[in-house]
Amino acid sequence: MSKGLYWFEHDLRICDNVALQQLATQVDQLHCIYIFDSEDFSTSSHKGSAQFKQRRIGQHRYRFIRQALDDLQQQLLAAGQQLHIYIGAPLTIIQQLNEQHEFTHIGKHFHTGVHERKTIDSLSQLYSDKTLINTNSYTLYDIDDLPMSIENLPDVFSPFRRKVEKFCEARLPVASILSELPPALLPEQFVDTNLPPIRECDKVLINHNETVKRLLGGEQKALQQMHYYTFDTQALSEYKITRNGLEGWEFSSKLSPWLAAGCISPRQVAAAITDYEAHHGANDSTYWLFFELLWREFFQWQQLKHGKALYHRNGIQQKSPTGFHQKRRFEDWVNGETDYPIINACMRQLKYTGFMSNRGRQLVASCFIHELGLDWQYGAAYFEEALIDFDPASNWGNWQYLAGVGSDPRGCRQFNLNKQTQTYDPQGEFIAYWADYAPRS
Ligand SMILES: Cc1cc2nc3c(=O)[nH]c(=O)nc-3n(C[C@H](O)[C@H](O)[C@H](O)COP(=O)(O)OP(=O)(O)OC[C@H]3O[C@@H](n4cnc5c(N)ncnc54)[C@H](O)[C@@H]3O)c2cc1C
């Protein structure tokens, strides 16, 4: 009797989940789990962004992941399976489960993150007697599809994009395997009672802010949003014109939180764009959404190439940045209390909703580095805690880029905040919205 353990991580979905599909076809019984690493909730851990006194997961992402786990649970229960949710030290939990059940197979999806690859290395050393499945569907392409070795990946986006567009096709998503899942190993689901409580957003925002209303975790919501942005509203056909908006639901796809949690895969998004183009025609905007997915792709493979250097102060360029940490200034930035109204609005939006537009992220990072002269790593670490859509490669890669130590060939970019305000918030509505908002709790 073969017994499989499937460890969900950044792949909280059933459709296009290649690793889950492979494991399901090889075992007689299946135990599905998700683990919250207790260190991710602590500011005194020495791991990752906790070095900068930030948690690795904040309230907004935690809530979103819990919603996504509920959705996964409902889907699994309908198929006679179930999800077991734990909190603690992940490898210790795996060891205890293995002592109880003696798995023959372990499955977990492939991810280019440093921490994620270290975990896979540990699993393959600890459980060399088992079949380990570690297949990718977090990126558009597989590693073997890339037209160059990882060592030879360009460190600049444009040459990377040109090569992959010329030589690669995004992988097609695989269908749902719900009906083929092997039976559950245990009769009842387990949810650890030590999980931290979920904090809801402020009621005012739940009622009046479109992003807060609609940004709910789960595979079903992700598929709905993809359909909404493409076929329902045809907003995709205007994406290139609207994508620099600051507030609202329709100016960009808003798919990033679902992509980061793996409620949807980039392959599903690429396939939806192609399908949409076949029905409504291709234009610059439909192409541009794919172009942005290529930015995501670029940073994922950069992360595999450079490993820890993607998080280092001197970056992949090994250049010394000028900023340094100043607690008071940093807190003013976090709380939206700087001398720059546009920055304050963006930072309050992030603090209270867990989301910020791409334009906003560029402005607040530029201000952090240039106007405030702060150490970029503290900004990146705060984003790691605060963003619902936090993705290690996209976050730290973009911060390095703006700090002039990453993959920007032009060096450090500074935005003119007055000009940006006039262009993107000419009537001051966005600034007024967040200046007027006062949290009730
Ligand atoms: C300082 C900084 C930090 C960032 N941190 C993150 C992060 O932690 N997680 C994250 O997903 N994105 C990050 N981004 C990229 C980008 O801001 C968000 O992906 C985007 O705002 C999400 O909104 P959307 O889904 O509506 O994007 P859309 O404009 O609709 O784009 C579609 C998708 O393309 C990808 N994408 C778009 N722009 C970028 C980019 N510059 N880099 C990488 N992928 C991109 C995302 O997956 C996004 O969902 C960061 C950007 C900056 C400047």
Side-chain angles (χ1 to χ4, degrees):
M1 165 82 66
S2 54
K3 291 183 195 170
L5 173 74
Y6 191 76
W7 179 355
F8 282 98
E9 196 186 34
H10 312 293
D11 58 339
L12 303 182
R13 66 178 182 276
I14 304 290
C15 292
D16 196 32
N17 193 328
V18 187
L20 175 64
Q21 185 191 40
Q22 287 181 353
L23 181 67
T25 56
Q26 294 181 29
V27 295
D28 300 315
Q29 286 185 319
L30 182 62
H31 191 62
C32 295
I33 64 166
Y34 181 89
I35 307 175
F36 284 100
D37 186 337
S38 37
E39 283 207 37
D40 288 354
F41 298 89
S42 155
T43 52
S44 54
S45 149
H46 295 290
K47 274 193 193 165
S49 53
Q51 293 165 48
F52 306 101
K53 302 287 166 238
Q54 305 298 320
R55 288 177 184 80
R56 290 173 76 199
I57 180 167
Q59 54 156 323
H60 298 298
R61 190 158 80 259
Y62 178 65
R63 182 174 60 241
F64 188 87
I65 289 176
R66 289 291 299 271
Q67 291 161 347
L69 294 176
D70 280 350
D71 177 86
L72 195 57
Q73 184 73 281
Q74 294 317 316
Q75 293 200 69
L76 289 171
L77 286 173
Q81 255 295 340
Q82 62 215 339
L83 184 67
H84 304 267
I85 306 173
Y86 302 88
I87 182 163
L91 289 176
T92 311
I93 291 171
I94 301 285
Q95 191 195 346
Q96 288 162 353
L97 288 171
N98 186 52
E99 280 166 11
Q100 283 167 38
H101 304 299
E102 296 183 354
F103 299 110
T104 54
H105 294 63
I106 299 182
K108 187 169 184 292
H109 81 148
F110 172 82
H111 189 281
T112 62
V114 172
H115 177 65
E116 287 78 358
R117 281 189 294 127
K118 209 169 136 200
T119 305
I120 286 295
D121 286 348
S122 305
L123 287 178
S124 53
Q125 278 168 22
L126 290 166
Y127 304 110
S128 53
D129 57 327
K130 304 186 196 308
T131 304
L132 184 63
I133 291 170
N134 181 223
T135 324
N136 177 26
S137 42
Y138 194 74
T139 51
L140 292 167
Y141 313 111
D142 276 355
I143 191 165
D144 297 334
D145 304 334
L146 295 173
M148 69 290 273
S149 64
I150 294 299
E151 302 75 55
N152 290 324
L153 273 176
D155 286 336
V156 174
F157 173 68
S158 293
F160 169 83
R161 177 186 61 79
R162 283 194 292 269
K163 280 238 160 122
V164 292
E165 283 194 309
K166 190 163 175 199
F167 296 109
C168 307
E169 284 287 333
R171 291 239 161 188
L172 291 175
V174 298
S176 168
I177 41 136
L178 259 191
S179 56
E180 297 153 37
L181 287 178
L185 194 64
L186 298 179
E188 303 223 330
Q189 55 175 284
F190 169 81
V191 179
D192 198 316
T193 50
N194 293 317
L195 288 179
I198 299 169
R199 276 180 62 189
E200 293 303 334
C201 262
D202 186 81
K203 282 240 163 28
V204 175
L205 289 179
I206 294 178
N207 290 332
H208 298 290
N209 187 286
E210 284 303 305
T211 308
V212 170
K213 259 194 242 178
R214 293 173 186 250
L215 217 48
L216 306 171
E219 181 172 10
Q220 304 307 314
K221 296 279 184 225
L223 295 172
Q224 265 171 28
Q225 173 59 13
M226 192 169 69
H227 206 268
Y228 177 85
Y229 194 70
T230 52
F231 288 93
D232 291 354
T233 58
Q234 299 182 28
L236 174 57
S237 293
E238 306 214 318
Y239 170 68
K240 199 167 175 215
I241 306 157
T242 59
R243 59 182 286 271
N244 280 309
L246 294 170
E247 181 73 54
W249 190 246
E250 254 118 76
F251 67 79
S252 66
S253 76
K254 306 295 186 307
L255 287 170
S256 56
W258 289 291
L259 281 164
C263 302
I264 197 167
S265 77
R267 299 168 186 195
Q268 290 174 286
V269 181
I273 297 172
T274 308
D275 190 18
Y276 178 85
E277 287 177 333
H279 287 87
H280 295 283
N283 65 12
D284 281 0
S285 286
T286 59
Y287 167 69
W288 214 260
L289 193 68
F290 183 72
F291 178 93
E292 293 302 335
L293 287 180
L294 289 178
W295 267 107
R296 177 184 183 276
E297 190 77 11
F298 170 68
F299 285 125
Q300 302 304 319
W301 297 114
Q302 282 282 300
Q303 180 169 241
L304 187 62
K305 176 177 177 182
H306 293 290
K308 283 186 180 165
L310 200 70
Y311 315 102
H312 280 172
R313 182 173 152 77
N314 292 352
I316 61 167
Q317 289 193 31
Q318 291 300 304
K319 253 183 167 174
S320 262
T322 49
F324 60 98
H325 185 54
Q326 297 167 76
K327 193 165 180 285
R328 182 68 199 273
R329 273 195 196 181
F330 171 77
E331 284 169 0
D332 286 349
W333 177 80
V334 163
N335 294 320
E337 289 167 3
T338 69
D339 294 338
Y340 310 97
I342 190 82
I343 301 303
N344 298 343
C346 290
M347 293 306 295
R348 286 164 64 83
Q349 179 190 41
L350 175 60
K351 183 173 177 178
Y352 296 118
T353 71
F355 192 81
M356 191 195 294
S357 67
N358 184 56
R359 176 61 41 186
R361 294 180 207 203
Q362 290 181 314
L363 300 185
V364 303
S366 169
C367 174
F368 190 90
I369 294 157
H370 298 288
E371 276 80 3
L372 304 178
L374 294 168
D375 175 351
W376 72 269
Q377 287 180 297
Y378 281 81
Y382 175 68
F383 266 33
E384 176 160 347
E385 173 174 334
L387 281 173
I388 294 185
D389 68 14
F390 168 70
D391 166 271
S394 301
N395 186 57
W396 290 80
N398 270 294
W399 270 94
Q400 279 211 357
Y401 183 98
L402 291 161
V405 297
S407 55
D408 182 3
R410 288 206 334 225
C412 218
R413 287 175 201 232
Q414 181 171 13
F415 289 85
N416 178 326
L417 297 177
N418 283 333
K419 210 165 146 209
Q420 292 281 319
T421 306
Q422 277 158 24
T423 309
Y424 297 108
D425 190 26
Q427 312 301 328
E429 288 166 352
F430 174 66
I431 289 175
Y433 179 95
W434 286 106
D436 288 349
Y437 168 70
R440 292 194 309 181
S441 51

